Amino acid sequence: YCVEFKTESLSHHCALENRPYARWMQYLREGHIVCVACQPPAMNTDTYRCSGDGHNADRSKILHWEAVGNSQCQGTWKKIRQLEHCSCPLVHSFIFT
């Protein structure tokens, strides 16, 4: 499954990232909608959920995220909806880890 989130805030460290494999962090923006896929091995084998997916969160709850590989690139987002059939676009798509 996938979860759509709207970014609420992010640290300035994301824009400073210039390593080739991590340049995607430069393109994160407040107010953008991102799509995050829950796939093994991030999925809990008992619950079939990914940690941090905001399962029980309502749309007003602010949730925290952190980029893998750069713990200083972090921020907040709000869950918009969960999609059972993923159709994440090629840009602004991520996976839980």
Side-chain angles (χ1 to χ4, degrees), residues 5-72:
F5 295 95
K6 180 180 178 194
T7 56
E8 296 290 316
S9 69
L10 59 132
S11 66
H12 73 280
H13 296 282
C14 302
L16 301 175
E17 181 61 68
N18 61 7
R19 292 174 292 174
Y21 64 88
R23 283 199 186 115
W24 61 267
M25 295 179 199
Q26 296 176 2
Y27 301 101
L28 290 169
R29 297 287 183 271
E30 291 179 11
H32 278 192
I33 293 175
V34 296
C35 187
V36 188
C38 178
Q39 303 171 349
M43 187 180 289
N44 181 304
T45 54
D46 294 327
T47 63
Y48 297 101
R49 303 209 64 83
C50 283
S51 175
D53 69 358
H55 177 61
N56 293 319
D58 60 43
R59 292 180 74 170
S60 65
K61 184 171 174 80
I62 294 179
L63 305 167
H64 295 270
W65 59 266
E66 180 181 299
V68 171
N70 182 351
S71 61
Q72 292 183 312

Side-chain angles (χ1 to χ4, degrees), residues 84-95:
E84 294 308 318
H85 301 287
C86 297
S87 58
C88 291
L90 293 176
V91 294
H92 300 126
S93 298
F94 306 95
I95 59 170

